[in-house]
């Protein structure tokens, strides 16, 4: 029989508690209640009706214009180009993290060009109250980078 002192038992119990807590928090962050039946819909942002095709929780911000959405994968914010130099790069990424990370995002996927060469979904990204693509432009954290083919007209994003 193995003898354990109180300190060893306390340490083991603390480790079990920490692992359980971490798994519970992770499960809460990753919980995705979306089904294919409730993926499409409309939002109203600044008195404008927005149509979206997919929705999910943003679980990671890769860079200033690429996020990871649970159940969808990597999403490239379409028709914009974010800075590649510091400190603007960090400012843009921090803005996207603040607005998207851990929140439900709504994607208007480019129907004419739904994926880029890296297999990222190309979309305009919305939160409950913001058009993230437009907000990056408005706050001088990105520039327009229009390409074709695209369902979005030049200047629409």
């Amino acid at each position: 029989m193995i003898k354990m002192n109180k300190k060893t038992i306390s340490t083991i119990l603390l480790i079990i508690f920490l692992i359980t807590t971490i798994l519970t928090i992770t499960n809460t962050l990753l919980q995705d209640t979306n089904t294919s039946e409730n993926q499409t819909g409309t939002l109203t942002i600044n008195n404008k009706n927005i149509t979206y095709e997919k929705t999910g929780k943003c679980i990671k911000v890769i860079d200033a214009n690429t996020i990871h959405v649970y159940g969808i994968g990597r999403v490239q914010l379409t028709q914009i180009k974010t800075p590649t130099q510091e400190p603007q790069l960090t400012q843009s990424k921090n803005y996207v993290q603040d607005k998207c990370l851990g929140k439900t995002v709504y994607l208007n996927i480019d129907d004419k060009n739904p994926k880029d060469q890296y297999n990222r979904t190309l979309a305009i990204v919305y939160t409950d109250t913001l058009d993230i693509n437009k907000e990056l432009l408005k706050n001088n954290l990105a520039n327009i980078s229009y390409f074709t083919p695209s369902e979005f007209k030049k200047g629409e994003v």
Side-chain angles (χ1 to χ4, degrees):
M1 182 171 232
I2 299 174
K3 285 188 166 186
M4 290 193 240
N5 61 27
K6 289 181 181 181
K7 185 176 180 182
T8 304
I9 292 171
S10 296
T11 303
I12 291 170
L13 289 174
L14 178 62
I15 291 170
I16 291 170
F17 172 76
L18 290 173
I19 290 171
T20 304
T21 302
I22 290 168
L23 290 175
T24 301
I25 291 170
T26 302
N27 186 45
T28 301
L29 287 174
L30 294 180
Q31 189 174 19
D32 188 8
T33 57
N34 298 318
T35 63
S36 59
E37 291 80 33
N38 71 357
Q39 289 289 299
T40 61
T42 57
L43 289 170
T44 302
I45 298 175
N46 296 327
N47 297 320
K48 181 180 176 188
N49 286 332
I50 307 296
T51 302
Y52 61 89
E53 289 95 6
K54 298 275 184 181
T55 183
K57 188 172 284 195
C58 175
I59 58 173
K60 185 175 183 181
V61 175
I62 312 298
D63 57 38
N65 63 347
T66 309
I67 61 176
H68 190 100
V69 179
Y70 183 72
I72 296 167
R74 288 188 177 204
V75 176
Q76 178 75 27
L77 281 71
T78 192
Q79 307 297 341
I80 64 168
K81 180 172 175 50
T82 54
T84 57
Q85 302 295 316
E86 294 296 346
Q88 296 87 357
L89 172 64
T90 299
Q91 291 170 341
S92 297
K93 183 177 179 180
N94 288 344
Y95 182 86
V96 174
Q97 282 180 324
D98 182 53
K99 302 301 180 189
C100 296
L101 189 60
K103 298 177 180 145
T104 299
V105 293
Y106 306 87
L107 308 177
N108 184 353
I109 298 171
D110 190 335
D111 295 333
K112 290 189 180 176
N113 195 11
K115 298 274 186 173
D116 70 3
Q117 63 187 359
Y118 305 108
N119 203 35
R120 296 175 295 196
T121 299
L122 295 170
I124 298 175
V125 177
Y126 305 96
T127 63
D128 289 330
T129 59
L130 294 173
D131 176 333
I132 299 301
N133 298 52
K134 279 189 180 175
E135 290 298 313
L136 284 167
L137 292 169
K138 187 170 96 177
N139 289 293
N140 295 317
L141 297 170
N143 295 312
I144 293 173
S145 179
Y146 185 75
F147 56 88
T148 58
S150 177
E151 82 172 89
F152 308 111
K153 294 174 178 49
K154 193 170 187 174
E156 186 176 58
V157 174

